[in-house]
Amino acid sequence: MTYGELRMTPTSERGRALSILVDGEAVIAYEGESLAAALLASGRRFTRWTAKSGEARGYFCGMGVCQDCLVTVDGLPNVRACMATVKDRLRVETQRGLGDWGVTP
Amino acid sequence: MGASCAYFLADRGADVLLLESGRVGREASGVNAGGVRQQGRALPEMPMALRSLDLWADLDKRLDARIEYERCGDLRIVETEADGERLRAVAARERDAGLGLEWVEGTALRSLVPALAPSVAGGTFCPTGGHANPLLVAPAFGKRARDLGAMVWEGSAVRSIGHDGAGFTLETANCRVRAARLVLAAGAWTPLLARDLGLRVPIALFVPQMTATVPLARVLGVVLLGWSRKLSMKQMRSGAVLIGGGKRGWGDLVTRARGPAEENMRLAAVDAVEALPVLGAAETARSWVGLEGLTPDEMPIIDCVDGVHVAAGFCGHGFAIGPVVGELLSEWLLDGEPSLHVSPFSLSRFPSP
Amino acid sequence: MRSVECVIVGGGPAGLAAARTAARHGVRVLLVDENPGLGGQYYRQMPATFRAPDHAKLGTESLEGRRLIDEVQALGVELRLDSVVWGIFDQRIVALATRDETQRIEAQTLILAPGAYDRPVPFPGWTLPGVITAGGAQNLMKGYRILPGRRVLIAGSGPLLLVVAHHLLSGGAHVAAICEAASMRQLWRYAHRLLPHLNFVQQGYRYRREIKDASVPFMTGHVIRRAVGRSEVTGAVVTHCDDQWRPVGGTELHFDVDTVVVGYGFVSSLELSRLAGCEHRYEPGLGGYVPVRNREMESTVPGVFIVGDGAGVAGSAVALEEGHMAGLTVANRLGRLLGRDHSREASRARGRLLHLAGFRRVMDGLYRFGPGLYTLANEQTTLCRCEEVTVAEALEAVRDGAGHVNEVKAWTRVGMGRCQGRMCGPALAHLIAGATGKAVADAGIFTPRPPVKPVALAALAREAS
């Protein structure tokens, strides 16, 4: 999947361009897009690996119900990408399992 | 209680019928916090709590079932110096009663629970404390009892009980049952049943409320028990954190309708976040309540009166001693007396009206 | 605690219509929605930051939605966006939460318009990235103008499949095929009854023409068999199905695709109506429970009204009319619209609803839900996506004596994850029914408990004044 082919409208019709960081890589997004939309448009189909079997999951229902499109945003795990809106310099990490809280039990 | 008693009786070849109005383990047995603790109980309960440790250790093998018992240790925490002194005095009495536990503070405390709020001054750590999955235990007892030859009738509410010289007659929706011996372990419903037999059992309905988070990465390795505030927190095998401790919802014994109180969901959240601040971002998945039985002195009733054995009113902390109470009842019925003293739990300790 | 004359939960067509009607008659309305913008799913709008939105390509719903949203805002309806109603207590105390805090509001009247969500149908490979729901595809394309993929297979039932295909084609995607579960015979049986509904037929014909011109195979009597791929979709397999939408052995057709859009209808969101204590009854034709309501849209709980797809999936036209009806009833109840004025409006609305009911019956007949869908999963298929519990594990619990979804949940954790049973509940009930011979209705639904959507502890702890 090459980045850029999936947006259906020219950039002139989208919001202001901004840059988010996904697993350390700069990714272009447009103001107003959901995080899920921006990730998909950049060719990133999965947002996490599950806790039990480590299988890849991503966008499924698109309306905040299935809780599958979870990512870690600015250090906070378990954020639904389809319900989050992109912001300039947002730091996004695909999530392993239940996410990292920065705490050792 | 009923299911574990049925198991122990069946294990010894007795002729047992377990009558359950709904499904085994769906009431108080299944909705509690799942704590298996020895500290923080009324001292007379200590012998049972200690004996229960032996049972819990290999219960999964005994019942040939998954019960998710973890002996991770529990920690009772205080937030002020004054509370610390009072707790240490209580702990000394518990030690005298045979329980191993130690006072922890400073680095020892922080290494036990790194995510603990700075406001926690210290606590008593008991390495034998733990938890199990309440949804699995009572049904496992019921299933094993069945496998061993007990009859287990679910959906069989008892409408009335009569007592004549030869034994007991129970009317259920489907039929009439005759039994030589009777055990009443119907939780908050026990007084209604006991009334038929002319027994006044002072058990009132109380509705403890629990909250569970969604499964989270490991943040808590021991069971947390609040002393300065009523709070219990434990992280289950699934990763969900169970928050309990003193909050109450609403419920009705007759209709069995019930639900959590919104204000108490908020208060439980406040307590949880103040004890473990990292949980602020953790999401709650559900809040529920149980219909449980409360006695005037918050200790259970374990007694035999007029030939009727009663084991009820565990006030929301019966889960840990469920297995041992079942065993004691079976001894009482088959050997004439239980192997531990249960006189502190006699019905006669309550003044008659 | 704040008391509000009318709280409306859900800002889709039904909720918006209710807000407009109530506000027009002077009722003070508070409208709550979980999303950052109004419109729900059907009237989903593009972000305000997008410039020169090409409405022509989006279809009329976008414009219709925009107009209704503007009206509601102009009427001074109080809005709470990015807010989730997570509980209803004491019949009409509404608890809502933003990311940071919770608020309790006493609703003198409460209109629930929670809508519906795509029916989750487990099949081998359904958890692969690249498998998305029809609603999810629509949200991406209409809401953010992004294609879900470049080579797409559409499988499901109902006119929405054609709409999805239309948007995909307009974006330059390759649509490998559309697999409609209903058979040609089933479709023709009801087709003539659609004739009085000319608009719908015309639109349908236009879509059919479009996919024909694009050489997209439209296969009736076919269902998805499995999605293929290791860590994302690389292909899809479809097969013939019978009248119950059960896959029949024999030919399997393999498609080279990177995306599978599944659209087997919708299920109503019933968590709030159940929590509020409203009665529900099972509707086999709709494949699920619906709340019991009277002609005025009132549930069995006084002062609680339920409208739109959240009361049984019936489409946007019905949702708008039901919302309007509830708005009239609330205005009447609060003394703002009385006597003949009220009864005249109400009887007009009832007339329109009756006319729409005819159309609904045809649609329900055309695309009558086939329970055979729930035989698509095999023992290894993930049943509970959140907790990763397989069909095999759920069946083991049933063998051990679990006869109700709540029991399977207690013993296996199915339904205890973040989605709170929404993705697995319907399938689990069918699984239990199939394994025990019970009726699906008796296999039950998960007991809804607050919060009906996950709410952060910090938000629960902080009460807004």
Side-chain angles (χ1 to χ4, degrees):
Chain A
M1 195 72 42
T2 342
Y3 144 68
E5 296 174 343
L6 294 173
R7 286 192 167 87
M8 295 161 83
T9 51
T11 57
S12 58
E13 284 179 25
R14 306 185 84 85
R16 179 179 63 91
L18 43 86
S19 178
I20 62 174
L21 262 157
V22 182
D23 291 336
E25 258 185 76
V27 169
I28 201 164
Y30 296 89
E31 198 180 357
E33 286 180 346
S34 70
L35 185 51
L39 289 172
L40 283 166
S42 76
R44 286 167 174 76
R45 310 206 96 188
F46 51 88
T47 60
R48 69 185 182 106
W49 285 271
T50 57
K52 225 164 95 177
S53 58
E55 66 178 36
R57 295 285 177 90
Y59 184 93
F60 179 64
C61 77
M63 50 184 278
V65 168
C66 73
Q67 309 273 348
D68 244 331
C69 66
L70 305 177
V71 280
T72 297
V73 176
D74 287 340
L76 184 68
N78 303 317
V79 175
R80 291 171 295 175
C82 67
M83 301 293 279
T85 313
V86 294
K87 272 190 271 288
D88 211 8
R89 286 198 297 267
L90 202 69
R91 191 167 45 92
V92 181
E93 291 154 278
T94 51
Q95 190 170 294
R96 287 200 177 273
L98 299 169
D100 186 4
W101 294 78
V103 168
T104 29
Chain B
M1 301 301 151
S4 83
C5 179
Y7 158 76
F8 281 103
L9 286 170
D11 194 36
R12 290 181 57 181
D15 182 21
V16 186
L17 167 62
L18 176 63
L19 289 166
E20 162 58 53
S21 65
R23 300 280 274 169
V24 172
R26 293 294 293 179
E27 289 299 342
S29 309
V31 296
N32 61 69
V36 180
R37 64 182 159 83
Q38 299 80 50
Q39 66 171 318
R41 311 186 74 97
L43 280 174
E45 294 179 22
M46 189 63 77
M48 288 194 297
L50 290 174
R51 172 80 71 82
S52 78
L53 280 174
D54 295 328
L55 284 169
W56 280 105
D58 64 356
L59 198 56
D60 57 344
K61 290 190 202 57
R62 247 186 206 264
L63 301 180
D64 189 26
R66 182 172 51 98
I67 57 166
E68 296 175 5
Y69 172 59
E70 313 242 352
R71 190 168 293 185
C72 54
D74 52 30
L75 175 69
R76 213 169 6 168
I77 51 176
V78 292
E79 289 165 68
T80 67
E81 269 307 312
D83 283 347
E85 271 185 46
R86 278 192 288 270
L87 177 57
R88 275 193 291 266
V90 168
R93 290 197 290 274
E94 288 172 347
R95 245 182 250 116
D96 290 343
L99 182 62
L101 79 172
E102 54 175 316
W103 173 260
V104 289
E105 61 184 25
T107 37
L109 177 68
R110 298 297 144 191
S111 67
L112 266 176
V113 190
L116 206 52
S119 59
V120 177
T124 52
F125 177 66
C126 175
T128 53
H131 59 89
N133 188 336
L135 292 168
L136 303 176
V137 177
F141 269 119
K143 186 159 184 290
R144 191 79 188 120
R146 237 197 213 108
D147 292 342
L148 291 168
M151 285 182 289
V152 179
W153 291 0
E154 293 174 307
S156 289
V158 172
R159 297 240 182 91
S160 67
I161 314 180
H163 191 176
D164 60 45
F168 301 89
T169 309
L170 299 97
E171 299 282 348
T172 73
N174 298 316
C175 68
R176 175 177 301 165
V177 175
R178 284 282 305 169
R181 321 288 292 283
L182 175 68
V183 177
L184 288 182
W189 291 269
T190 306
L192 295 167
L193 294 169
R195 209 173 42 199
D196 280 359
L197 299 161
L199 286 177
R200 195 190 143 267
V201 179
I203 291 175
L205 172 67
F206 100 109
V207 189
Q209 183 169 319
M210 301 282 312
T211 299
T213 67
V214 294
L216 306 169
R218 280 280 132 201
V219 292
L220 186 59
V222 302
V223 177
L224 271 185
L225 303 163
W227 169 270
S228 298
R229 66 178 87 208
K230 281 190 98 173
L231 172 72
S232 82
M233 285 210 288
K234 59 184 74 72
Q235 191 160 22
M236 311 301 270
R237 203 168 282 187
S238 65
V241 173
L242 239 62
I243 304 163
K247 305 296 180 293
R248 309 220 181 155
W250 62 270
D252 184 301
L253 268 183
V254 175
T255 63
R256 307 222 180 185
R258 70 195 78 179
E262 188 268 333
E263 177 63 6
N264 288 333
M265 285 177 71
R266 190 180 71 79
L267 293 174
V270 169
D271 283 345
V273 177
E274 287 187 2
L276 232 59
V278 72
L279 284 184
E283 287 139 314
T284 38
R286 64 190 161 276
S287 195
W288 69 93
V289 299
L291 300 177
E292 309 208 10
L294 187 71
T295 60
D297 60 4
E298 294 193 26
M299 284 203 309
I301 296 168
I302 306 171
D303 200 356
C304 182
V305 184
D306 295 346
V308 181
H309 287 78
V310 179
F314 288 84
C315 310
H317 56 258
F319 183 69
I321 54 177
V324 75
V325 169
E327 188 179 46
L328 291 172
L329 285 168
S330 71
E331 291 166 350
W332 206 339
L333 286 158
L334 299 176
D335 306 327
E337 65 175 344
S339 58
L340 284 177
H341 288 299
V342 292
S343 41
F345 313 112
S346 74
L347 185 56
S348 57
R349 74 186 192 268
F350 300 113
S352 10
Chain C
M1 184 172 25
R2 200 183 149 199
S3 178
V4 171
E5 289 191 336
C6 178
V7 175
I8 300 180
V9 181
L16 287 167
R20 176 177 58 182
T21 300
R24 266 192 190 147
H25 292 284
V27 176
R28 281 184 287 278
V29 176
L30 170 65
L31 177 57
V32 188
D33 196 287
E34 193 187 1
N35 295 284
L38 290 170
Q41 307 315 314
Y42 188 76
Y43 279 160
R44 183 167 282 253
Q45 302 290 303
M46 282 193 302
T49 48
F50 277 30
R51 287 159 287 183
D54 45 346
H55 279 125
K57 293 214 203 89
L58 288 175
T60 51
E61 315 89 63
S62 187
L63 261 169
E64 259 175 47
R66 184 75 252 158
R67 259 187 241 119
L68 181 51
I69 292 167
D70 289 342
E71 263 191 85
V72 165
Q73 285 174 321
L75 282 163
V77 169
E78 186 184 349
L79 300 175
R80 274 277 195 290
L81 301 173
D82 288 309
S83 302
V84 65
V85 172
W86 56 264
I88 298 181
F89 300 88
D90 297 331
Q91 299 191 341
R92 268 186 275 109
I93 304 221
V94 175
L96 42 89
T98 60
R99 231 187 56 158
D100 306 311
E101 61 184 18
T102 225
Q103 191 178 15
R104 264 184 301 173
I105 294 180
E106 188 199 3
Q108 288 164 46
T109 57
L110 176 61
I111 302 181
L112 298 176
Y117 59 94
D118 292 85
R119 177 182 292 278
V121 178
F123 58 86
W126 75 306
T127 55
L128 280 171
V131 176
I132 65 175
T133 61
Q138 287 293 84
N139 284 351
L140 269 181
M141 295 192 288
K142 279 169 61 181
Y144 300 105
R145 307 303 286 134
I146 281 172
L147 288 172
R150 285 235 67 93
R151 305 179 58 79
V152 187
L153 176 90
I154 304 174
S157 185
L160 183 57
L161 304 188
L162 298 174
V163 182
V164 171
H166 160 77
H167 286 302
L168 285 168
L169 291 169
S170 77
H174 167 77
V175 180
I178 302 174
C179 296
E180 161 65 64
S183 65
M184 198 44 112
R185 200 185 73 234
Q186 190 173 337
L187 290 172
W188 271 115
R189 230 168 99 211
Y190 289 90
H192 64 286
R193 296 211 208 145
L194 278 175
L195 289 176
H197 308 278
L198 215 51
N199 268 341
F200 178 79
V201 176
Q202 279 176 335
Q203 184 63 276
Y205 178 75
R206 274 197 287 272
Y207 283 141
R208 288 294 299 274
R209 249 256 89 82
E210 184 185 356
I211 64 170
K212 193 145 187 244
D213 291 344
S215 307
V216 176
F218 182 79
M219 303 156 66
T220 55
H222 276 77
V223 282
I224 182 79
R225 198 67 193 86
R226 61 183 177 278
V228 178
R230 270 253 301 277
S231 57
E232 55 182 319
V233 171
T234 55
V237 177
V238 308
T239 182
H240 251 299
C241 65
D242 65 16
D243 274 345
Q244 295 300 300
W245 297 1
R246 197 180 259 274
V248 291
T251 34
E252 284 192 345
L253 294 152
H254 188 284
F255 292 93
D256 217 326
V257 291
D258 57 49
T259 305
V260 179
V261 174
V262 271
Y264 288 104
F266 296 88
V267 290
S268 300
S269 289
L270 299 174
E271 299 82 25
L272 284 175
S273 55
R274 284 204 180 261
L275 210 57
C278 306
E279 249 180 70
H280 294 70
R281 65 163 194 277
Y282 192 78
E283 283 284 331
L286 295 176
Y289 281 90
V290 294
V292 172
R293 300 174 296 172
N294 63 18
R295 297 191 311 178
E296 273 84 52
M297 302 295 119
E298 194 165 22
S299 72
T300 52
V301 175
V304 177
F305 304 83
I306 315 176
V307 292
D309 280 353
V313 178
S316 60
V318 172
L320 289 166
E321 208 56 63
E322 288 189 348
H324 170 63
M325 176 64 101
L328 291 175
T329 317
V330 160
N332 174 252
R333 198 63 63 82
L334 292 167
R336 307 292 159 75
L337 178 68
L338 301 164
R340 291 266 291 281
D341 290 331
H342 169 246
S343 50
R344 192 177 44 238
E345 295 266 9
S347 93
R348 280 207 203 109
R350 252 195 310 278
R352 287 193 294 267
L353 276 170
L354 258 152
H355 172 72
L356 286 169
F359 177 66
R360 251 170 69 200
R361 267 195 296 278
V362 180
M363 295 300 286
D364 289 348
L366 265 174
Y367 302 108
R368 190 182 175 87
F369 159 72
L373 282 180
Y374 290 118
T375 64
L376 289 171
N378 62 41
E379 297 237 332
Q380 283 72 48
T381 308
T382 303
L383 170 65
C384 171
R385 297 173 67 108
C386 299
E387 296 294 291
E388 302 182 74
V389 183
T390 61
V391 166
E393 289 168 77
L395 284 175
E396 195 189 331
V398 175
R399 273 195 299 275
D400 281 341
H404 189 280
V405 294
N406 284 326
E407 290 180 330
V408 175
K409 175 180 178 179
W411 297 351
T412 64
R413 287 201 62 82
V414 171
M416 285 202 195
R418 301 182 71 94
C419 89
Q420 299 167 307
R422 287 176 174 85
M423 294 293 109
C424 55
L428 178 59
H430 276 85
L431 204 71
I432 293 172
T436 59
K438 276 185 169 177
V440 177
D442 294 336
I445 65 155
F446 293 130
T447 314
R449 296 203 171 97
V452 301
K453 279 271 174 88
V455 176
L457 280 168
L460 263 185
R462 202 169 308 137
E463 172 122 22
S465 42

